[in-house]
């Protein structure tokens, strides 16, 4: 019997008088601490220190692009000659931290925080746990509430705090119960992190190369701002990051994965503010989408002819649509991604170049001088990109008011030719499934009802068949599409049985 495991002695049923072995065990246990307390302190006492395991260095925890981008190039070399690989993690990662007495009043987050060191994403991870919402009810209200947290796709492989908290439900729930403690640790880390960044920048000479820890720390602060919905502060930090990159001569000297992180933040900021990205794509690091199947290629040729009949300047929109169809075909051919690291990151690495093209090349079409239908087509591409990001929890802001703009553009468009029916139905359906705002969704539903009545479509399946040649992500939009179809069909039946005032310019 190991006396070291005893913490309490039961005195309500004392059997020492009957059991000499038990009495001896208790006496030995009690006298052991008393004897230690009476000993004199040794001179020059040596205390053995046990070092905690540090987080894996950046070069050893870089992400596996090649495994999530099949069938494309087997390797994706970086500018430093390194291949992008992912570090494997177990679902429940043990945290090697020492407990100091009294252990029963220690907060689990404080214990974890002691072992995270200078993890740049610790602030973001704590904010994510404290603010996360994972409701899963099948309704528009639940869909709007479910996207309240923001996932940085590079965090799982680069942040020990992310793996300790987000991948461990037990630890995550324990931390979320003590909001005050989490916020105090956030504030402390925020203050110390800002001091470190400022001191590093102050000591940085104009000709010095970029320091990866400083860049990573700023990226961590931007992610923290996104998780807290503090977009104004995120823009300030991103402007500071651009200034440091400019002083350091660009991003070419940074590790491959840090360059991808900067690309992601640059495109995210551009999507939120609807302006072209600041940096060019790191083409040497990005995977390549497979070509379209033959049937989809023929459909794309018909879409191209339709687009050019709207306006000769639609070539940039056509390229974005073709890339979206390639991404949709690739996603439909893939099995369900095995975990948060692969799913979000793989889609992001394919989707971000499409977003970059849409924001850079389609800007003239979105201007006021373009025709309403051309503007609606360009905005629909951005709407799809943001919708896919929100589907993977990797868009921190709310959906811009593109659905209203698209609906108004269709209402004011004079192109009511039957050959544009597929395009109008598709634009209205995209607007309906992308928004969770009641007024925006209502406008799209009213437009769909009017178009269905004018075309003689009596069921939602007919709408889906008409728009199938256009870019469509069936697996990802299944739930939203089902809810939209139910609402549209209820309005359609109501309009056929009673005069309810539903009107739309194209149906007149």
């Amino acid at each position: 019997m190991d006396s070291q495991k005893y913490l309490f002695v039961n005195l309500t049923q004392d059997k020492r008088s009957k059991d000499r072995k038990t009495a001896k065990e208790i006496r030995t246990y009690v006298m052991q601490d008393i004897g230690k307390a009476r000993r004199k302190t040794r001179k020059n006492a040596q205390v053995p220190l046990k070092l905690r395991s540090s987080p894996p260095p950046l070069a050893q925890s870089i992400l596996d692009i090649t495994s999530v981008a099949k069938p494309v190039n087997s390797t994706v070399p970086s500018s430093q000659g390194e291949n992008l690989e992912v570090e494997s993690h177990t679902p429940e990662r043990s945290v090697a931290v020492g407990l100091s007495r009294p252990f029963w009043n220690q907060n689990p987050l404080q214990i974890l925080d002691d072992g995270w060191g200078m993890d740049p994403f610790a602030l973001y991870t704590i904010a994510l746990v404290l603010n996360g919402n994972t409701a899963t009810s099948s309704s528009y209200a639940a869909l709007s509430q479910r996207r309240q947290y923001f996932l940085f796709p590079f965090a799982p492989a680069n942040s020990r705090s992310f793996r300790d908290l987000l991948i461990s439900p037990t630890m995550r729930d324990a931390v979320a119960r003590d909001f005050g403690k989490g916020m105090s640790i956030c504030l402390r880390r925020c203050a110390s992190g800002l001091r470190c960044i400022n001191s590093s920048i102050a000591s940085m000479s104009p000709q010095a190369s970029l320091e990866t820890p400083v860049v990573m720390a700023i990226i961590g602060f931007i992610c923290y701002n996104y998780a807290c919905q503090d977009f104004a502060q995120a823009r300030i930090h991103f402007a500071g990051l651009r200034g440091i990159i400019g002083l350091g001569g660009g991003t070419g000297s940074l590790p491959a994965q840090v360059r991808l992180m900067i690309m992601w933040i640059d495109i995210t900021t551009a999507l939120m503010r609807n302006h072209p990205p600041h940096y060019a794509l790191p083409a040497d690091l990005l995977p390549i989408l497979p070509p379209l199947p033959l049937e989809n290629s023929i459909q794309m040729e018909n879409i191209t002819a339709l687009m050019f009949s709207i306006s000769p300047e639609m070539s940039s929109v056509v390229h974005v649509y073709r890339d979206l169809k390639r991404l949709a075909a690739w996603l439909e051919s893939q099995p369900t991604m095995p975990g948060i690291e692969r799913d979000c990151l793989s889609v992001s690495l394919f989707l971000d170049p499409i977003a970059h093209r849409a924001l850079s090349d389609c800007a003239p079409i979105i201007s006021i001088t373009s025709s309403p239908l051309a503007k609606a087509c360009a905005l629909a591409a951005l709407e799809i990109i943001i919708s896919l990001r929100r589907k993977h929890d990797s868009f921190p802001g709310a959906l811009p008011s593109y659905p209203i703009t698209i609906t108004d553009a269709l209402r004011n468009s004079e192109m009511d030719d039957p050959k544009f029916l597929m395009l109008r139905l598709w634009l209205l359906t995209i607007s309906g499934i992308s928004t969770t705002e009641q007024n925006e969704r209502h406008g799209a539903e009213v437009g769909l009802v009017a178009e269905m009545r004018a075309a003689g479509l009596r069921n939602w399946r007919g709408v889906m068949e008409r728009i199938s040649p256009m870019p469509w992500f069936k697996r990802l939009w299944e739930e939203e599409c089902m809810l939209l179809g139910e609402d549209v069909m209820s309005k359609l039946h109501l309009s056929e049985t009673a005069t309810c005032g539903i009107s739309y310019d194209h149906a007149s």
Side-chain angles (χ1 to χ4, degrees), residues 89-95 163-164 167-171:
H89 309 296
T90 56
E92 294 288 342
R93 180 185 176 93
S94 60
V95 184
R163 298 190 295 270
D164 287 343
I167 302 179
S168 172
T170 303
M171 189 61 69

Side-chain angles (χ1 to χ4, degrees), residues 251 256 259-260 263 267 279-287 356:
T251 61
R259 294 169 60 197
L260 291 174
M263 175 201 71
I267 293 175
Y279 298 107
L281 289 172
D284 57 322
L285 304 179
L286 295 173
H356 195 284

Side-chain angles (χ1 to χ4, degrees), residues 73 81 97 121 160 223 234 237 244 277 287 384 406 424 438 484 497:
N73 298 334
V97 294
F121 299 108
R160 176 178 173 180
C223 292
H237 283 145
I244 294 175
I384 291 174
I406 292 174
R424 293 196 301 267
Q438 179 64 33
L484 178 65
T497 57

